[in-house]
Amino acid sequence: MNKRERISIFIQMQTRSYLLCRVINMGDSVNPDLKFTDVSSYGYMTESGRDDGTLTPDQKIDYASDKVELSYHKDGSPLYKCSIKGNYSPWRSNYMHPGFRQVPISECEDLLPIIVFQIRRPEIYKTKKIESTEAKKRVYVCSNEFLFTEKQPLFAVIYLRHKKVPLTLISTKDYYSDILAELTKNIDLCIFICRHTYPAPIPYYDNGLNCWITPYACNSISFCNQRALLDELTSKLNRNIFDRAFALFIGILSDGKVFHLTEEKLLILDEVDIFFEQIKNPIVQKPHFARFVLEIFGNNPQSFFKLSSEEKQQTLLSVWRIIISEGTQRNWF
């Protein structure tokens, strides 16, 4: 990302879209300095937050504003910035304490989580029309009709990834993984989104009203404990998102773009696995054969599923013979 280049990240649902945030590089392509804007239509900061993402009247609100930004500077300093009504100077606060630093961007050697989104109620995000890409103003759209719905709570993380770390670009009913941009020649800016279950807001007794009140659940964005989140991501995703063999397999299926792995495609791939159990020393490797099969049946899977198990394998054998025949005639092998 070059200096002042911006990426607007949208979530596309079936009936509408909303803006997750904008990422601006205030540095350059050698020493990036990231700013996250338009993260919410309303922001606040408290002395002590609640684990369920709610506020109660007994909590002191340090500030509230409709203009909140997060900055992750090149030296690793994570800062909140808020414009307070009536003041010309913005209010700033370090994520932990004055002088606190996380890992500098240039020192990212594998994976480095930057910010997390806890989307408890997608339906309260304001509708935002997807914008057009312009010079230095790129638009990225996360699209998955099964994952992004009005009622599905989500957990999202924007993170840095050193290019030596394998990454699967994939979208399923449970998660979404992709590269947002090349930040430097060695580091990519990436996003991961998954289904998540949050604890319900905890009711409390209000002495003034003499009754129980259930707090309002909010969506939130924040910096994170990088080590703890990194450990959690790698422990749960090392066998798919960060697995080299799986990343190569999916990359071949999708030509390096996000591969939308539906239940139908998964069933077809299962049949390909069964077929390859019978093939010894294959001339055509499984990922390339699977891609060819998906190009034939991916848009009309029902024509394949209506076949019996034996007929499916016979169909795959016919496809295999066509590929071998064509490949031999055109000197592919």
Side-chain angles (χ1 to χ4, degrees), residues 94-188:
N94 192 293
Y95 165 56
M96 293 295 288
H97 54 74
F100 174 76
R101 298 289 184 271
Q102 292 186 302
V103 179
I105 292 176
S106 62
E107 294 182 16
C108 173
E109 297 181 349
D110 40 39
L111 303 171
L112 184 63
I114 301 295
I115 60 172
V116 297
F117 297 83
Q118 294 179 311
I119 304 175
R120 299 172 177 84
R121 300 181 62 202
E123 71 272 18
I124 65 177
Y125 271 104
K126 293 181 179 179
T127 298
K128 181 76 172 177
K129 184 179 179 180
I130 295 175
E131 301 160 355
S132 300
T133 295
E134 302 175 9
K136 287 197 172 185
K137 294 182 179 179
R138 296 175 50 197
V139 173
Y140 182 89
V141 181
C142 302
S143 179
N144 183 321
E145 63 179 318
F146 302 105
L147 181 60
F148 305 135
T149 69
E150 297 284 358
K151 298 298 182 181
Q152 177 56 58
L154 301 168
F155 176 85
V157 54
I158 293 180
Y159 65 99
L160 306 183
R161 163 241 181 192
H162 196 284
K163 291 184 178 180
K164 68 182 181 183
V165 178
L167 179 65
T168 306
L169 312 183
I170 190 169
S171 173
T172 76
K173 65 181 180 62
D174 296 315
Y175 56 81
Y176 185 97
S177 168
D178 196 13
I179 297 172
L180 296 172
E182 181 182 77
L183 196 58
T184 71
K185 66 177 183 179
N186 294 321
I187 299 173
D188 289 329

Side-chain angles (χ1 to χ4, degrees), residues 21-244:
C21 75
R22 303 188 198 275
V23 187
I24 305 172
N25 183 12
M26 304 304 292
D28 54 37
S29 59
V30 177
N31 295 300
D33 200 305
L34 300 178
K35 180 167 71 172
F36 302 86
T37 67
D38 294 324
V39 296
S40 174
S41 59
Y42 190 75
Y44 58 81
M45 211 172 190
T46 65
E47 288 184 337
S48 60
R50 289 167 61 95
D51 290 336
D52 57 2
T54 58
L55 286 174
T56 61
D58 60 323
Q59 288 179 292
K60 177 185 176 183
I61 297 179
D62 294 330
Y63 72 77
S65 170
D66 61 358
K67 186 65 175 179
V68 178
E69 296 178 354
L70 289 80
S71 299
Y72 194 94
H73 296 288
K74 55 189 176 184
D75 64 352
S77 56
L79 300 178
Y80 292 100
K81 185 172 75 173
C82 161
S83 296
I84 302 175
K85 187 176 181 180
N87 293 344
Y88 293 101
S89 298
W91 190 89
R92 292 180 172 85
S93 173
N94 192 293
Y95 165 56
M96 293 295 288
H97 54 74
F100 174 76
R101 298 289 184 271
Q102 292 186 302
V103 179
I105 292 176
S106 62
E107 294 182 16
C108 173
E109 297 181 349
D110 40 39
L111 303 171
L112 184 63
I114 301 295
I115 60 172
V116 297
F117 297 83
Q118 294 179 311
I119 304 175
R120 299 172 177 84
R121 300 181 62 202
E123 71 272 18
I124 65 177
Y125 271 104
K126 293 181 179 179
T127 298
K128 181 76 172 177
K129 184 179 179 180
I130 295 175
E131 301 160 355
S132 300
T133 295
E134 302 175 9
K136 287 197 172 185
K137 294 182 179 179
R138 296 175 50 197
V139 173
Y140 182 89
V141 181
C142 302
S143 179
N144 183 321
E145 63 179 318
F146 302 105
L147 181 60
F148 305 135
T149 69
E150 297 284 358
K151 298 298 182 181
Q152 177 56 58
L154 301 168
F155 176 85
V157 54
I158 293 180
Y159 65 99
L160 306 183
R161 163 241 181 192
H162 196 284
K163 291 184 178 180
K164 68 182 181 183
V165 178
L167 179 65
T168 306
L169 312 183
I170 190 169
S171 173
T172 76
K173 65 181 180 62
D174 296 315
Y175 56 81
Y176 185 97
S177 168
D178 196 13
I179 297 172
L180 296 172
E182 181 182 77
L183 196 58
T184 71
K185 66 177 183 179
N186 294 321
I187 299 173
D188 289 329
L189 184 68
C190 305
I191 188 168
F192 177 77
I193 309 172
C194 65
R195 293 175 182 266
H196 196 73
T197 301
Y198 295 96
I202 302 174
Y204 66 94
Y205 190 82
D206 188 282
N207 292 323
L209 297 176
N210 293 321
C211 66
W212 286 89
I213 295 177
T214 300
Y216 181 81
C218 303
N219 298 325
S220 63
I221 176 175
S222 66
F223 295 107
C224 60
N225 182 321
Q226 291 179 321
R227 174 48 58 187
L229 182 55
L230 175 60
D231 290 345
E232 184 174 3
L233 288 175
T234 53
S235 66
K236 294 182 177 180
L237 304 178
N238 264 353
R239 294 187 177 181
N240 45 29
I241 300 301
F242 304 124
D243 180 80
R244 188 172 300 278

